[in-house]
Amino acid sequence: MSRGLSNRNPGNIRQSAVRYKGEVRPSRDPAFKQFESMPWGYRAIFVLLDTYRIRHGLETIRGMISRWAPPSENDTGAYLRTVVRRSGVDPDAEIDTRDGPTMTRVAAAMARVENGVEPDEAEIAEGWRLFSADF
């Protein structure tokens, strides 16, 4: 089982001072966050991508993936190509991070890259429900 799946952190979000709803504290993983369930982990993906758009002005998948999976740690180009191919989202089109159909496809594609297995669509949908309840 991949680290992201065992941590119920499908985006492999690193430890930081940011605290998310559904986060397990303290985490047993010194490098990555852990969540109570996969939907809480998906909610964190949606929150973080929304933060990228609002606080950092990253309005495209290219910008978001470049920050999420920087070249110093990842093959950012391959990651981006996979997310674009699997989600159908233009890499340079401005996206609305509060659009459920778009963002659930993006999160599914990112989780596939991060964990190497097909994500559970029901868990993604529940993560979106948890996220969208806050706006």
Side-chain angles (χ1 to χ4, degrees):
M1 179 180 292
S2 74
R3 193 176 199 174
L5 297 179
S6 65
N7 287 337
R8 294 175 300 282
N9 179 356
N12 282 315
I13 298 171
R14 290 194 176 275
Q15 291 288 2
S16 70
V18 175
R19 298 292 174 236
Y20 295 93
K21 290 181 181 178
E23 184 178 343
V24 173
R25 293 183 58 217
S27 174
R28 292 182 314 273
D29 188 318
F32 294 90
K33 292 187 177 288
Q34 290 182 302
F35 293 95
E36 294 172 10
S37 68
M38 288 298 279
W40 284 114
Y42 281 109
R43 179 194 176 275
I45 292 173
F46 298 129
V47 168
L48 192 49
L49 293 175
D50 193 50
T51 300
Y52 284 3
R53 183 179 61 85
I54 293 169
R55 289 199 187 141
H56 303 287
L58 301 173
E59 298 180 334
T60 66
I61 291 298
R62 184 181 307 279
M64 291 175 188
I65 296 299
S66 294
R67 184 175 176 110
W68 189 282
S72 60
E73 301 174 9
N74 300 274
D75 183 343
T76 306
Y79 197 122
L80 177 64
R81 285 188 299 278
T82 301
V83 171
V84 165
R85 185 181 76 250
R86 293 181 68 87
S87 71
V89 175
D90 183 305
D92 299 308
E94 187 174 318
I95 61 168
D96 178 0
T97 52
R98 299 204 173 173
D99 176 65
T102 298
M103 295 312 296
T104 54
R105 289 193 321 269
V106 168
M110 291 173 69
R112 177 65 173 89
V113 172
E114 293 286 345
N115 300 291
V117 297
E118 288 301 318
D120 182 313
E121 297 294 328
E123 292 173 340
I124 298 168
E126 178 62 11
W128 180 261
R129 189 194 66 73
L130 292 167
F131 170 68
S132 61
D134 292 335
F135 64 85

